[in-house]
Amino acid sequence: MSAAPERRPGGGVLLLSGADQVVPCTTVDPDGVLTGAAVAIAGGRISEVGEAGDLRRRFPDATETTLAGGVLTPGLVDSHTHAVFGRTRADEYALRASGVPYMEVARRGGGINASVRDLRSRSEDELVDIALPRLRECFSYGTTTIEIKSGYGLDTRSELRTLAAIDRIAGAVPQRVVATFLAHEVPPEHASDRGRYVDLLVEEMIPAAAEQGVARFCDVFCEPGVFDTEQARRILLRGQELGLEAKLHADELENGGGAELAAELGAASADHLGAISPAGVEALAAAASADEPTVATLLPATLLFLGRGAYAPARALLDAGATVALATDFNPGSSPTPGLPIVLTLACSQMHMSPLEALVAATSGGAAALRLDDGIGTLAEGAPADLVWWRVPDYREIPYHVGVNRVGRVWVGGEVVVDRSDGRAATSAVTASIRSR
Ligand code: NIG
Ligand code: FE
């Protein structure tokens, strides 16, 4: 069904033509990739996708942008990031390069708690000012929807300040931003009584986050040595009770039954899964047919950066029927990468996903992991006109050029928000005031 092409005041129908390929990302079947197609956009949405000559006849008054070949895809959906943080952790990277494992760095006072000490010393204004240029970098790689977690505050005030900063960022950028409250670690002041910290989360922090009204999801780092499965269940059930949908950092480094817990709770996603068990794969495959599936969100850049040498079993998950998303996990400790294209490369080279499976996982898969309906993550009639034009002749070249940014132009709601069509990065200015509301 075609949406009626509504006319905007001072604007009209925009026709994007000339792309070598248009990839709708509604199917992983390569036959779904269109050639000779154009996209008609009106009122910020895609009103039609079809043969270019046909669309020109149907919309004779349209403004036409003729692209110099290239590939059009939906905007990328990065459904798992920790993009609001202060300083980087390159110091501990050097330590890890010398052979000290991630969890051992954390035990020595580095890791998540190092970012917590840093974030607690910063004001909301500072957090916004530091995060915005980083986010512009994320957006330059084609991300048009991004999830951002709290979790470097770990006390009520610092968590609420992080969420308030995320909310201000959401108001200052054209890209779509989704906020998540994350129970990320037990802070040093509660190290001697970890159970008491879970009580605090359940009794005070999660209710305060729900009351603030910024976060849509509640997430927990469910991993042996951090929060165990029973603690994670308690945290997520409390979130659900207060209207926050569940997400889990599950089975990242060691198996703890996190994937099974995600499926049991009807979580929106189980993320990481580097150490998922066969029973976990089965649980997520079964959960894919639920009304609202639990998505398996894979974050291979993290396992690359941590030097683990083994990746989540993407093939087993896909072949069993699970819904798979790919995301960056952008954070200062285990994945300092702002862009999804390298994640697509890892998905294909290390996890044996096809280039189209990877692209679908980073678009409509990500939208499913964020429970966004409305067509986000697809280039299809009725969806928001969030698009990326890639300077490659074939979609398979998006993951193929390892670590190269081939994004030419990005639209959100039909407006150009990133223009690198001359090969240089030039992102649109952030116009809204970010200082105060
Ligand atoms: O998703 N696993 C927990 N959290 C992050 C790491 C955060 C950090 O090291 O700062 C992750 O990998
Ligand atoms: Fe994470």
Side-chain angles (χ1 to χ4, degrees):
M1 204 187 80
S2 311
E6 72 187 73
R7 309 272 160 155
R8 285 173 296 174
V13 176
L14 170 66
L15 207 57
L16 297 179
S17 64
D20 294 313
Q21 295 177 335
V22 173
V23 189
C25 289
T26 48
T27 167
V28 295
D29 181 351
D31 287 347
V33 175
L34 309 170
T35 51
V39 180
I41 295 170
R45 294 191 166 265
I46 297 170
S47 51
E48 232 173 293
V49 183
E51 198 271 315
D54 186 39
L55 290 196
R56 266 184 215 113
R57 278 188 295 280
R58 295 186 15 74
F59 304 115
D61 300 331
T63 304
E64 184 163 350
T65 297
T66 308
L67 302 164
V71 175
L72 275 174
T73 69
L76 304 182
V77 179
D78 193 350
S79 62
H80 182 139
T81 85
H82 308 250
V84 172
F85 58 89
R87 69 168 181 86
T88 62
R89 304 218 302 269
D91 50 349
E92 64 184 58
Y93 182 49
L95 198 59
R96 285 203 287 105
S98 74
V100 183
Y102 178 72
M103 285 303 208
E104 175 57 27
V105 170
R107 277 188 284 273
R108 293 186 193 180
I112 292 168
N113 273 321
S115 291
V116 171
R117 283 193 297 278
D118 178 73
L119 184 137
R120 285 179 176 179
S121 72
R122 296 184 192 274
S123 69
E124 187 184 309
D125 281 352
E126 255 180 293
L127 292 178
V128 173
D129 288 347
I130 296 172
L132 273 172
R134 287 202 186 114
L135 285 164
R136 279 191 217 111
E137 202 173 3
C138 300
F139 301 150
S140 78
Y141 285 93
T143 296
T144 54
T145 297
I146 191 163
E147 185 253 20
I148 308 176
K149 301 174 197 296
S150 68
Y152 290 125
L154 305 189
D155 61 38
T156 308
R157 277 184 44 232
S158 309
E159 286 296 301
L160 293 185
R161 190 161 76 255
T162 310
L163 290 168
I166 297 172
D167 196 38
R168 273 179 48 202
I169 290 163
V173 301
Q175 286 78 7
R176 299 164 208 281
V177 176
V178 178
T180 296
F181 172 86
L182 170 62
H184 204 178
E185 183 44 293
V186 175
E189 65 272 19
H190 289 279
S192 60
D193 191 352
R194 301 175 73 90
R196 173 72 201 112
Y197 185 65
V198 178
D199 293 342
L200 186 71
L201 278 162
V202 163
E203 288 160 17
E204 182 184 305
M205 295 176 69
I206 296 170
E211 167 82 23
Q212 185 192 25
V214 172
R216 166 147 187 206
F217 295 99
C218 179
D219 191 345
V220 57
F221 188 10
C222 176
E223 184 79 17
V226 190
F227 293 105
D228 66 28
T229 315
E230 275 324 302
Q231 292 170 327
R233 178 184 280 107
R234 217 180 134 207
I235 289 164
L236 296 176
L237 282 173
R238 181 65 170 143
Q240 286 179 328
E241 199 175 87
L242 297 170
L244 301 174
E245 294 177 76
K247 276 182 168 291
L248 270 91
H249 281 66
D251 306 328
E252 175 176 349
L253 306 170
E254 281 178 56
N255 187 271
E260 292 91 324
L261 177 63
E264 175 200 319
L265 296 180
S269 64
D271 302 34
H272 280 295
L273 308 177
I276 190 175
S277 67
V281 172
E282 257 175 57
L284 291 180
S289 49
D291 276 354
E292 294 198 288
T294 300
V295 173
T297 299
L298 310 183
L299 311 164
T302 306
L303 295 169
L304 171 86
F305 190 73
L306 293 180
R308 301 287 288 189
Y311 291 85
R315 234 4 320 140
L317 284 158
L318 285 165
D319 295 346
T323 306
V324 168
L326 287 167
T328 60
D329 195 19
F330 181 38
N331 77 72
S334 68
S335 187
T337 183
L340 276 159
I342 185 94
V343 174
L344 301 188
T345 304
L346 292 169
C348 298
S349 295
Q350 303 293 330
M351 302 197 297
H352 307 293
M353 292 172 72
S354 75
L356 195 49
E357 283 174 332
L359 208 44
V360 168
T363 52
S364 57
L370 295 177
R371 299 231 158 128
L372 299 170
D373 36 27
D374 205 24
I376 290 180
T378 67
L379 200 167
E381 290 164 15
D386 299 355
L387 310 171
V388 183
W389 176 59
W390 302 86
R391 293 180 295 113
V392 292
D394 185 297
Y395 72 90
R396 289 170 293 196
E397 289 200 23
I398 297 171
Y400 170 83
H401 295 280
V402 189
V404 181
N405 190 352
R406 290 291 172 139
V407 168
R409 197 173 293 176
V410 182
W411 295 258
V412 170
E415 304 293 337
V416 176
V417 293
V418 174
D419 198 350
R420 307 172 77 251
S421 36
D422 61 358
R424 287 183 301 114
T427 56
S428 73
V430 175
T431 47
S433 159
I434 55 166
R435 278 275 150 214
S436 56
R437 277 186 294 169

